[in-house]
Amino acid sequence: MSRFFVEPENIGTNLIIMNNPDDLHHMMKVLRLKEGDEVDISDGVRWEYRACIESLNREEAELKILDKQAFASEPSVEVTLFQGIPKQGKMETIIQKCVELGVYEIVPVFMDRTVVVDRGNFGKKIQRWNRVSAEAVKQCRRGIVPQVAEPVKTEELLRDRTGSGTPDLFGDFDLVLFPYENEKGTTIKEVLRAATAADSRPKRIAVMIGPEGGFSDEEANAIVAAGGKSVSLGKTILRTETAGMTALAMIMYELEM
């Protein structure tokens, strides 16, 4: 069953109006859909619909709502991946696979050992990365399209926002996981199981992943001082494009399975 995303204002009580040219072209020319065919529609916020095509042309499609349900395929935990920006095309792989695994949002981060330089065209990369996210969602049939945010620098994340002199990087998260190659004592499993055993399970989790060269000592110390939980992902050192996926898979296993 094909899935499309429609703005909430285009969804009425009984009918859905689709007017995105790319979606209409995909429906008509690629999928060869016609009147009477059924599709899945998501509003990207809360609801998903089963709908039947009543009319379809190059300008607009009108669909009759057959069924309406709250998202069934979205994880209950929202995981934001703070990803040290990698070289070459690795970011697209990271986005694609993490979206499939259930990530809520991805924030690219310029870290001390990031090799990539912003030459003024990073906005185009963000647009492309968000298209990668949207395509991955269609494949895995999620209810929302995880956004790839504008890039930030580590020092911007660590900036004190409270005026108390204490970094407040992670004030919006219930748990901050900091997979670190130098961590030998605490595993991500231990931290997650301790969190699930607590009275309130974490609803929002942040995961910090370094670039190819890992974190500098100064970054690592600052992240821990800001509330990050230094954890090990196992006995081997993972590549940057593998570490985020691994951490996300472990989170989903412990909290969602």
Side-chain angles (χ1 to χ4, degrees):
M1 184 73 66
S2 301
R3 170 164 294 228
F4 297 91
F5 287 81
V6 175
E7 295 295 330
E9 55 265 28
N10 283 16
I11 301 176
T13 304
N14 299 306
L15 292 176
I16 297 173
I17 302 299
M18 294 181 61
N19 51 23
N20 182 292
D22 292 336
D23 286 343
L24 294 173
H25 178 270
H26 191 68
M27 293 173 75
M28 297 174 64
K29 301 298 183 180
V30 179
L31 298 176
R32 303 290 184 180
L33 297 176
K34 57 187 183 298
E35 294 177 6
D37 288 336
E38 295 183 6
V39 296
D40 287 338
I41 302 290
S42 171
D43 66 3
V45 180
R46 182 183 178 187
W47 300 103
E48 52 190 8
Y49 304 81
R50 177 67 53 84
C52 177
I53 300 173
E54 294 206 327
S55 64
L56 174 61
N57 55 57
R58 293 180 179 178
E59 285 75 38
E60 185 178 275
E62 188 174 282
L63 303 94
K64 180 180 179 181
I65 295 174
L66 303 177
D67 185 50
K68 175 183 177 181
Q69 301 286 340
F71 290 154
S73 56
E74 282 302 306
S76 59
V77 60
E78 296 179 358
V79 180
T80 296
L81 173 65
F82 292 91
Q83 173 68 50
I85 300 170
K87 296 183 293 185
Q88 301 172 345
K90 296 177 182 178
M91 192 68 171
E92 294 189 7
T93 300
I94 292 169
I95 293 167
Q96 182 187 68
K97 300 309 177 184
C98 286
V99 166
E100 291 178 15
L101 287 166
V103 76
Y104 179 75
E105 180 186 26
I106 298 173
V107 181
V109 184
F110 285 102
M111 296 182 176
D112 289 349
R113 294 176 179 170
T114 297
V115 176
V116 177
V117 177
D118 183 0
R119 303 186 185 278
N121 62 346
F122 222 85
K124 293 181 179 179
K125 289 187 177 182
I126 297 298
Q127 292 177 1
R128 184 172 72 251
W129 291 345
N130 275 297
R131 288 196 296 270
V132 171
S133 177
E135 289 302 317
V137 162
K138 291 178 181 178
Q139 186 275 328
C140 62
R141 300 173 62 80
R142 289 186 57 184
I144 68 166
V145 178
Q147 294 300 297
V148 181
E150 292 295 320
V152 296
K153 297 179 180 179
T154 304
E155 55 264 31
E156 292 173 336
L157 291 175
L158 295 172
R159 184 174 300 146
D160 176 17
R161 296 179 298 171
T162 66
S164 64
T166 302
D168 188 33
L169 167 58
F170 305 122
D172 294 333
F173 296 96
D174 303 316
L175 179 64
V176 178
L177 297 173
F178 169 44
Y180 188 38
E181 63 269 23
N182 292 334
E183 176 60 52
K184 304 301 181 184
T186 305
T187 67
I188 188 173
K189 178 173 70 173
E190 292 169 343
V191 172
L192 289 172
R193 291 191 175 179
T196 58
D199 292 337
S200 57
R201 293 165 62 90
K203 298 296 184 183
R204 298 199 66 207
I205 296 177
V207 177
M208 294 287 295
I209 300 295
E212 286 89 349
F215 296 95
S216 68
D217 292 341
E218 292 77 12
E219 279 179 321
N221 292 334
I223 291 168
V224 172
K229 301 283 189 182
S230 178
V231 298
S232 168
L233 297 180
K235 295 181 179 180
T236 60
I237 296 177
L238 303 178
R239 293 179 180 271
T240 184
E241 63 267 34
T242 309
M245 304 176 203
T246 301
L248 191 58
M250 292 175 175
I251 291 169
M252 294 302 167
Y253 176 80
E254 290 293 340
L255 301 185
E256 296 290 329
M257 299 296 286

